[in-house]
Amino acid sequence: MTEPQVLIIEPGLAERDYWRDLWRYRELFYVLAWRDISVRYKQTIIGLAWALLRPFLTMLVFTVVFGKLAKLPTEGAAPYALMVFAGLLPWQFFSTALSESSNSLIGNANLISKVYFPRLIVPTAAVVVSFVDFLISFAILVGLMLWYQFVPGWPILTLPLFVLMAFLASLGPGLWITALNVKYRDFRYIIPFIVQIGLYVSPVGFSTSVVPDRWRLLYSLNPVVGVIDGFRWAILGGESTLYLPGFLLGWCVIVFFLWLGIRQFRGMEKSFADLI
Amino acid sequence: MPAITVENLSKSYVVGHNTAQTERYTALRDVLARNARNLARKTRDMVHGRAIVQGDEVEEFWALKDVSFEVKRGETLGIIGRNGAGKSTLLKVLSRITEPTKGRITIRGRVASLLEVGTGFHPELTGRENMFLNGAILGMTRAEIRRRFDEIVAFAEVERFLDTPVKRYSSGMYVRLAFAVAAHLEPEILVVDEVLAVGDAQFQKKCLGKMGDVAKEGRTVLFVSHNMEAVTNLCQSAILLTQGRNQEKGEAKGAVYNYLSTLSLSSLTSNGQFCRERTKPEAAIIITRVMLVDGDAPGVRFDLSKEIRLRISYQVCKPVRGGFLGFQVKTVLGLPIFTSTNADVAGALGDNVVSGELDAVVHYGEADVKIPAYQLNVGAYELHVAAFAPGRGLLDLMADIFFDVYDSGSFASYPFTSARQGVVLLRTPWIIHKTKRID
């Protein structure tokens, strides 16, 4: 018989094999994500079509309001609708991922108080669920490209990099807020507010080029700006240019929030069951 | 090497409560002042990174205090105690759900804990889907579940409803499926909390059987239960928790006996006498004292071959029409065995009751009842004594009276090798006819 693994439980003892444990529990990660996905559109009439309808209608409204009424410029010669959608896609991903992950621990309170597993799984799985919605609405982008007969260039190949960027951008604050949310439920009311404001503060309905140059670096402190710019650059190809200093600053902000989020989460993780 | 070593384990919680309201009227000024104080305290807590506690006063509460014990590999340990004694907290700390405040636990082997049946079951998902979900939550891989799929389904008896959302399940089916998944876990150490309190009697038995199998396979089991019978049957040893502290680990039967006697002790004045700590002043009839008498002396342990005598002291505070007294004997599990009332002797529940003796005048009184010998099998029982009135229901109830029945002879075991099964003993007349001799 092999010597069984030894586990020591002591107050304040950082678990040595936390990350290995996380890997061991990957099944749970898939299963939780799969649960949320399969439950998401149960008992609805049009089911998955909701994932298409919402971004499509938002795009329509933004195109009419910003493009036709306010007559804001698009990027290069790209159709305004396409430009809006290239921004809307990461924004929707970011905002749903952020709000889902922020509420994920509270939403799974029954699991947290009855079973042990690395808690990091819960908010991460929530982000993955939003990613599935993102993939579905991607179909609209393809449809729009066909409609406008728009052929993307080679930059489209770099798109996964920006998807990852959006993923990390939402995970960092998501972890931070979901951990704090367990202790102080005030954050539950803050998130919808952030998401609502964020839609207008981020360049979703308009191009970043309308922002005056001297404010641009400051504007890039909003991590979503870098993500949206990246998406537009990758999807619209030569029609859009990437503002590098801002883009790098965006990455710095994302990494900072990720570090902050993980630190906060790990620090509070062991007390979740007591507080929830 | 022991499978589990627990050393000086303590766990404290911070609890808040509202100061008792002394003033008769609540003034808006007081409410505002109190809310302002609370807001100031919460803000201070948040600045220092402490958790928010509701209430005016904050107090530290030790759910576990210096708990130490060892569990050998392959041992089945019962953990018993009253509600709030710290059993669930102990299991939560052992299963790493919450962190201890002090102390140290060393666990050698893979642990699976089952603190609740059907953790994470999602009502919208089908039985099949929930099996995989629940399995993953308990730490099984999909491959493991697939391998044992048929076994689990057969155990749960839900074949026909596998593809129905569990929200359409009856509660019995739900529990069966949930337990079935958990029962097929294969850890080296299994931690189980009170899961047997659910489901019907037949299924409970099946679960107990399964638990017994697990124990026989040489795995270490920690078992928390209020089912004293289950604890004595399943566990070799047990620890008794009282207000967060544990007594020395001992043989399961001894620990259960200690537990039962602490239960009775809380209202025991002298052995066998149970008095009320508080009474309902508005009740028309109150039970003031119940005395169990074994032979001539009060006692709580009875030989099954002797009758159990009960003396109930009562007080009629207000004249009441048709009031009567009754008692009920239950198993420690809470299953009623029989109920008896003083109206029984008066014949049918008719006129005799209305003109009975209890309703006449305000008075003190005593009622004597006997439970005949050879009625209750060996075991622990709970007694409820109550006063009723027609149309007004229960007037007063005295619970938490515990007693034991033992066998000094051999009636309960002969001719069996172990104890005779069943809650009651009935001496039924048997007649054997030899009808034909075969040569």
Side-chain angles (χ1 to χ4, degrees):
Chain A
M1 235 177 102
T2 54
E3 190 53 29
Q5 63 184 80
V6 178
L7 173 75
I8 293 173
I9 304 174
E10 254 183 355
L13 186 75
E15 279 147 73
R16 281 164 303 167
D17 18 299
Y18 185 79
W19 300 102
R20 209 178 64 204
D21 248 17
L22 201 62
W23 174 246
R24 261 225 321 273
Y25 275 88
R26 63 191 182 282
E27 286 261 347
L28 182 61
F29 172 77
Y30 304 139
V31 167
L32 283 185
W34 160 82
R35 175 195 71 180
D36 289 343
I37 292 162
S38 55
V39 163
R40 203 171 170 87
Y41 297 109
K42 280 256 163 95
Q43 220 168 9
T44 58
I45 296 168
I46 61 169
L48 269 184
W50 279 115
L52 293 172
L53 206 61
R54 280 186 310 170
F56 185 74
L57 290 178
T58 319
M59 178 211 61
L60 228 57
V61 171
F62 276 31
T63 309
V64 171
V65 172
F66 292 105
K68 298 277 181 262
L69 299 180
K71 293 206 184 352
L72 291 177
T74 175
E75 309 216 338
Y80 203 85
L82 201 57
M83 197 270 307
V84 166
F85 202 77
L88 193 61
L89 210 53
W91 170 255
Q92 289 247 317
F93 175 46
F94 175 81
S95 61
T96 45
L98 182 62
S99 43
E100 298 272 327
S101 61
S102 310
N103 284 320
S104 59
L105 283 177
I106 303 278
N108 287 293
N110 61 330
L111 283 189
I112 307 276
S113 57
K114 293 291 179 194
V115 205
Y116 167 80
F117 54 86
R119 310 308 192 193
L120 212 51
I121 287 177
V122 174
T124 321
V127 173
V128 170
V129 173
S130 324
F131 182 65
V132 173
D133 265 10
F134 167 80
L135 287 182
I136 294 166
S137 26
F138 211 85
I140 301 181
L141 183 74
V142 176
L144 279 175
M145 281 179 172
L146 290 174
W147 175 263
Y148 289 109
Q149 303 195 324
F150 185 91
V151 183
W154 64 266
I156 193 99
L157 297 176
T158 59
L159 198 61
L161 176 75
F162 299 109
V163 173
L164 179 73
M165 191 175 171
F167 189 95
L168 297 178
S170 53
L171 191 62
L175 286 177
W176 188 59
I177 292 170
T178 197
L180 285 173
N181 206 358
V182 172
K183 220 176 191 178
Y184 312 111
R185 296 289 151 94
D186 306 59
F187 285 89
R188 195 193 211 147
Y189 304 101
I190 294 175
I191 281 296
F193 182 69
I194 292 178
V195 168
Q196 209 174 16
I197 300 285
L199 180 60
Y200 299 100
V201 173
S202 308
V204 180
F206 50 87
S207 159
T208 350
S209 54
V210 302
V211 177
D213 274 345
R214 57 204 170 100
W215 297 116
R216 221 157 157 193
L217 202 61
L218 186 70
Y219 191 49
S220 300
L221 275 177
N222 174 357
V224 189
V225 172
V227 176
I228 291 181
D229 277 357
F231 262 72
R232 286 199 174 130
W233 178 75
I235 290 168
L236 305 177
E239 308 297 341
S240 153
T241 47
L242 200 57
Y243 174 62
L244 263 182
F247 183 71
L248 292 178
L249 183 63
W251 264 111
C252 291
V253 174
I254 289 171
V255 170
F256 169 72
F257 268 108
L258 204 59
W259 169 80
L260 186 72
I262 292 176
R263 210 181 76 118
Q264 183 80 34
F265 196 91
R266 293 280 284 117
M268 288 181 63
E269 191 169 24
K270 285 186 178 171
S271 59
F272 284 163
D274 295 338
L275 297 169
I276 212 158
Chain B
M1 286 294 248
I4 303 175
T5 316
V6 176
E7 294 158 274
N8 301 321
L9 190 72
S10 302
K11 169 84 187 168
S12 76
Y13 287 101
V14 177
V15 289
H17 41 79
N18 289 323
T19 39
Q21 260 186 336
T22 43
E23 65 269 29
R24 182 90 185 267
Y25 300 99
T26 318
L28 180 63
R29 191 195 50 197
D30 296 341
V31 174
L32 287 179
R34 181 157 35 180
N35 284 343
R37 260 200 320 272
N38 279 346
L39 180 68
R41 184 172 52 81
K42 281 181 188 172
T43 319
R44 212 164 48 233
D45 281 350
M46 187 163 159
V47 169
H48 293 179
R50 287 194 299 257
I52 293 172
V53 180
Q54 297 290 349
D56 305 333
E57 278 177 20
V58 176
E59 187 186 40
E60 200 175 40
F61 164 75
W62 290 90
L64 291 175
K65 193 93 180 103
D66 293 327
V67 173
S68 306
F69 60 91
E70 271 188 3
V71 189
K72 288 194 288 290
R73 199 171 296 171
E75 184 176 350
T76 311
L77 177 77
I79 299 168
I80 54 180
R82 304 189 85 154
N83 287 333
K87 300 180 305 259
S88 298
T89 309
L90 177 59
L91 290 200
K92 275 191 178 177
V93 175
L94 275 169
S95 29
R96 283 204 280 172
I97 292 164
T98 173
E99 201 185 17
T101 314
K102 280 184 207 154
R104 177 190 171 98
I105 304 175
T106 316
I107 300 177
R108 296 180 185 83
R110 194 174 94 136
V111 192
S113 53
L114 190 57
L115 300 197
E116 178 189 63
V117 164
T119 307
F121 260 42
H122 198 289
E124 298 284 350
L125 297 177
T126 67
R128 186 193 304 275
E129 290 168 332
N130 268 311
M131 274 173 62
F132 285 96
L133 175 62
N134 191 228
I137 288 168
L138 295 174
M140 278 193 265
T141 63
R142 276 172 295 182
E144 266 178 276
I145 299 175
R146 231 172 265 131
R147 202 168 59 236
R148 316 205 60 178
F149 189 85
D150 296 328
E151 239 178 286
I152 297 176
V153 173
F155 189 87
E157 305 162 26
V158 290
E159 292 89 342
R160 284 171 48 218
F161 307 100
L162 268 184
D163 295 304
T164 312
V166 293
K167 65 177 173 183
R168 311 246 179 269
Y169 275 31
S170 73
S171 54
M173 282 157 66
Y174 186 94
V175 165
R176 284 208 302 273
L177 181 65
F179 187 84
V181 178
H184 290 81
L185 272 170
E186 285 180 324
E188 286 148 331
I189 300 168
L190 182 66
V191 176
V192 189
D193 189 6
E194 208 61 83
V195 283
L196 299 165
V198 292
D200 55 28
Q202 198 197 348
F203 189 71
Q204 278 187 15
K205 197 181 154 198
K206 202 168 163 181
C207 298
L208 272 176
K210 184 77 195 171
M211 295 266 310
D213 292 347
V214 170
K216 274 188 210 111
E217 283 163 24
R219 281 187 233 147
T220 314
V221 181
L222 257 70
F223 180 52
V224 161
S225 183
H226 281 121
N227 182 340
M228 290 306 133
E229 221 178 300
V231 171
T232 39
N233 287 344
L234 278 179
C235 306
Q236 298 140 6
S237 47
I239 54 169
L240 173 59
L241 282 180
T242 332
Q243 290 175 345
R245 294 166 186 275
N246 74 314
Q247 289 181 3
E248 196 66 23
K249 190 174 94 177
E251 203 198 342
K253 276 195 179 133
V256 166
Y257 186 72
N258 281 345
Y259 169 62
L260 291 175
S261 52
T262 60
L263 278 181
S264 336
L265 266 174
S266 57
S267 53
L268 205 69
T269 46
S270 70
N271 211 17
Q273 288 194 54
F274 299 85
C275 288
R276 293 304 293 247
E277 284 161 7
R278 53 178 191 276
T279 50
K280 282 194 273 181
E282 73 279 10
I285 305 176
I286 53 175
I287 314 283
T288 50
R289 194 184 65 163
V290 173
M291 190 159 72
L292 294 174
V293 186
D294 172 24
D296 301 317
V300 286
R301 300 205 62 199
F302 299 92
D303 192 320
L304 59 83
S305 65
K306 301 216 177 82
E307 61 185 21
I308 300 170
R309 286 169 41 207
L310 252 68
R311 170 159 288 185
I312 303 165
S313 307
Y314 66 91
Q315 183 186 354
V316 176
C317 310
K318 295 170 208 157
V320 55
R321 288 196 69 76
F324 61 92
L325 299 172
F327 73 91
Q328 187 173 61
V329 176
K330 298 168 168 238
T331 63
V332 268
L333 262 175
L335 175 78
I337 304 167
F338 66 89
T339 311
S340 168
T341 75
N342 72 311
D344 300 349
V345 258
L349 286 162
D351 296 333
N352 284 335
V353 178
V354 180
S355 61
E357 287 159 42
L358 286 189
D359 58 338
V361 279
V362 173
H363 69 284
Y364 290 96
E366 283 182 342
D368 282 318
V369 204
K370 287 172 190 164
I371 301 172
Y374 293 112
Q375 301 291 314
L376 293 171
N377 200 351
V378 172
Y381 298 93
E382 189 185 357
L383 182 71
H384 281 191
V385 178
F388 302 85
R392 296 174 59 178
L394 191 68
L395 297 174
D396 193 22
L397 171 76
M398 191 156 155
D400 275 347
I401 304 170
F402 290 88
F403 65 93
D404 244 1
V405 174
Y406 66 94
D407 186 18
S408 61
S410 59
F411 181 79
S413 57
Y414 181 80
F416 311 102
T417 45
S418 61
R420 186 186 291 253
Q421 293 193 325
V423 179
V424 292
L425 299 172
L426 277 183
R427 293 220 279 185
T428 41
W430 279 75
I431 301 168
I432 308 278
H433 300 282
K434 289 184 182 154
T435 48
K436 195 180 172 191
R437 189 187 171 111
I438 304 168
D439 291 313

